[in-house]
Each structure stands twice: as C-alpha cells, then as structure tokens.
C-alpha cells in the first residue's frame, strides 16, 4: 500500500491543474481523448468463442467485442510516467503535457464506469436467459418432465 501512496503522490503532484482552465489545453485534451476512444474498434478482432443459443437475447460475440474494445480504452499510470519523462526531457511544452494528463485522467475516470455498466447489462441479460431456460421451472409449468442429471464419478486405482 505504501508503493501506491508513493506513486499517487509522485504523479499527482505533477498534474498541472492550473492549466486546465486554458481552452487550448482542454481542446487538445478532448482531441487526445478521442484518440484513446479510437482504440475501441480493436474489439472487432476478437474471435468467436461461443455460439448464440436458442432463446438468448444477446449475441455473445457482440458482448465480447464491446467489452474488449472498451477495456482497450483504459489508459493509466504508464501514460503519466511517459508524459512526465517527455516533459522533463523537453520534448513538448507544459500545455501539451497538461492536455495529455487531461486526456489520460478522462480515460481513467470514464472507461471503468462505462465498462462496469456494460458488464452489468450483459450479466443481467445472462441471468434472464438462465432463468428462462431453467429445467426445474419448465417442469413446474408442465413442460418436458425430463431433467438433466450430472454425475461426478471419482475412481481410485491401486
């Protein structure tokens, strides 16, 4: 926990909060944030792991692609380290550094919340699907009286 506090303090004190009122910094920050969001299409390269089952209200491939693409937009600690190193070496001015930190802060704040809500949405859809295909509920409604039986056989050999 001490390393987390040290890292947060070392990066946190380098964030130029006073420059965030400059329209140049905010504008370039949003442009750089748009570049971070542009990583979402990388989710299109996710292979299909499971097929859509009958009665399922969502496509698992779409779910996997959205979650992977949104996960790619989370930028964080390493971006701060690289930007502060580049500023220290004089590779760009303080306003550009402020724009970069603005974009990374936006990414660090918005991406996890969007990802959390997306995962909650698909978990709710999955629970609804599992509840609708529960064999015990179908038997109670007078449907098919067959229920799957799963056995676990453990064998020891001498």
């Amino acid at each position: 926990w001490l390393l987390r506090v040290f890292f947060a303090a070392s990066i946190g004190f380098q964030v130029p909060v006073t420059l965030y009122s400059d329209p140049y910094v905010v504008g370039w920050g949003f442009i750089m944030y748009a570049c971070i969001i542009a990583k979402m299409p990388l989710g299109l390269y996710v292979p299909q792991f499971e097929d859509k089952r009958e009665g399922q209200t969502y496509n698992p491939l779409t779910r996997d692609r959205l979650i992977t693409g949104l996960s790619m937009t989370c930028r964080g600690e390493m971006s701060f380290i690289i930007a502060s190193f580049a500023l220290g070496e004089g590779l760009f001015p303080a306003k550009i550094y402020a724009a970069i930190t603005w974009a990374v802060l936006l990414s660090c704040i918005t991406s996890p919340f969007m990802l959390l809500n997306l995962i909650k949405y698909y978990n709710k859809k999955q629970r609804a699907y599992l509840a609708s295909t529960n064999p015990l509920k179908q038997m109670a409604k007078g449907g098919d009286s067959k229920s799957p039986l799963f056995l676990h056989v453990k064998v020891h050999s001498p």
Side-chain angles (χ1 to χ4, degrees):
W1 67 268
L2 186 60
L3 286 175
R4 290 180 185 173
V5 171
F6 177 72
F7 180 79
S10 65
I11 295 299
F13 291 129
Q14 293 180 5
V15 175
V17 179
T18 57
L19 291 176
Y20 289 158
S21 61
D22 186 1
Y24 176 82
V25 170
V26 174
W28 273 104
F30 279 118
I31 290 171
M32 289 180 194
Y33 181 66
C35 294
I36 292 171
I37 295 297
K39 290 189 75 139
M40 266 194 84
L42 290 176
L44 295 175
Y45 293 103
V46 171
Q48 186 167 358
F49 292 112
E50 60 182 291
D51 293 326
K52 184 175 179 180
R53 289 173 261 177
E54 186 179 329
Q56 204 167 17
T57 58
Y58 68 91
N59 187 348
L61 179 61
T62 305
R63 176 202 61 201
D64 294 342
R65 286 180 173 176
L66 286 173
I67 289 174
T68 302
L70 197 54
S71 298
M72 296 294 289
T73 64
C74 296
R75 301 288 108 207
E77 300 85 12
M78 196 63 184
S79 300
F80 285 122
I81 293 170
I82 292 171
S84 64
F85 176 76
L87 179 68
E89 293 293 317
L91 296 175
F92 46 71
K95 284 188 175 185
I96 296 296
Y97 175 71
I100 291 171
T101 57
W102 175 248
V104 172
L105 282 173
L106 280 175
S107 171
C108 287
I109 293 169
T110 60
S111 296
F113 287 115
M114 290 189 295
L115 185 61
L116 179 69
N117 287 327
L118 186 67
I119 290 172
K120 281 182 182 179
Y121 171 77
Y122 279 112
N123 282 345
K124 190 167 110 179
K125 291 275 199 181
Q126 180 72 14
R127 279 193 300 274
Y129 168 70
L130 290 175
S132 70
T133 59
N134 188 349
L136 297 176
K137 284 188 177 181
Q138 290 176 356
M139 286 174 49
K141 291 179 183 176
D144 188 13
S145 62
K146 294 180 182 176
S147 177
L149 175 65
F150 297 101
L151 298 174
H152 178 79
V153 179
K154 188 174 184 180
V155 178
H156 289 283
S157 62

